Amino acid sequence: MKYRRIVAAVAFVTVGHLIVLALWINLFLPGSPPGTEGFQVMFLVCLYGSVLGIAMIVAGRSPRAERRIERRIERDGLEGWATIRAATPLGKPTGDAQITALELDLTVPGSESYSGRVVYEVRRSDLPRFAPGEILTVFVDPEDRSHIMLMP
């Protein structure tokens, strides 16, 4: 999901750091006082780590539009429940989680039941709770019923 953005951020910061390193080697290292090279290298390594960490944090955030939808659903969403019809793993597990496509039968009080599909990152410890036949609490956007937030 956000892995491509994180990889792109790591690549961007690494290329930028290589450019800074090349500039340092060609412009600043020859004129630096003797004995300070080690400190300068440590500064560059710490700078790389700090910028890389910040870039990964920013890249790992949800897009602004997605966060806006999530806030609206949390604020105005209609609470209901969903019965899992099918849970299909997508790809290989990554770390402690498995990206899973959930086929759901959604029920929101005051409206007709309908079907939906959600792609969700399920932790391995939570896999039994996402088995077919299990019931989950959901919040549905009243303006667009295709926007669903799971509350496992």
Side-chain angles (χ1 to χ4, degrees):
M1 312 278 233
K2 299 172 189 164
Y3 304 119
R4 288 185 182 158
R5 289 176 45 187
I6 292 173
V7 168
V10 169
F12 180 78
V13 169
T14 302
V15 168
H17 185 70
L18 290 174
I19 292 169
V20 168
L21 190 61
L23 289 173
W24 173 74
I25 288 172
N26 292 314
L27 297 177
F28 299 111
L29 183 61
S32 65
T36 62
E37 295 86 2
F39 295 110
Q40 293 176 27
V41 169
M42 288 305 299
F43 171 76
L44 289 172
V45 169
C46 291
L47 179 69
Y48 173 70
S50 299
V51 172
L52 183 63
I54 292 168
M56 290 175 68
I57 289 170
V58 170
R61 292 183 68 195
S62 299
R64 182 175 292 150
E66 191 175 308
R67 289 193 312 266
R68 191 177 309 126
I69 290 169
E70 287 174 359
R71 281 194 305 268
R72 187 176 70 229
I73 292 173
E74 287 175 352
R75 186 184 64 236
D76 303 328
L78 303 172
E79 186 174 0
W81 59 91
T83 304
I84 300 174
R85 236 182 319 126
T88 309
L90 302 175
K92 296 179 182 177
T94 55
D96 185 39
Q98 169 71 55
I99 305 295
T100 307
L102 301 171
E103 300 292 332
L104 305 172
D105 289 326
L106 295 129
T107 305
V108 178
S111 65
E112 275 189 39
S113 295
Y114 64 102
S115 296
R117 181 175 188 261
V118 174
V119 177
Y120 192 70
E121 187 173 22
V122 180
R123 291 190 355 229
R124 288 180 194 231
S125 59
D126 291 335
L127 281 175
R129 292 177 43 208
F130 288 89
E134 293 293 319
I135 297 174
L136 304 171
T137 302
V138 295
F139 280 93
V140 177
D141 187 348
E143 296 173 15
D144 184 355
R145 291 172 37 147
S146 68
H147 292 154
I148 303 164
M149 182 183 293
L150 298 180
M151 305 300 280

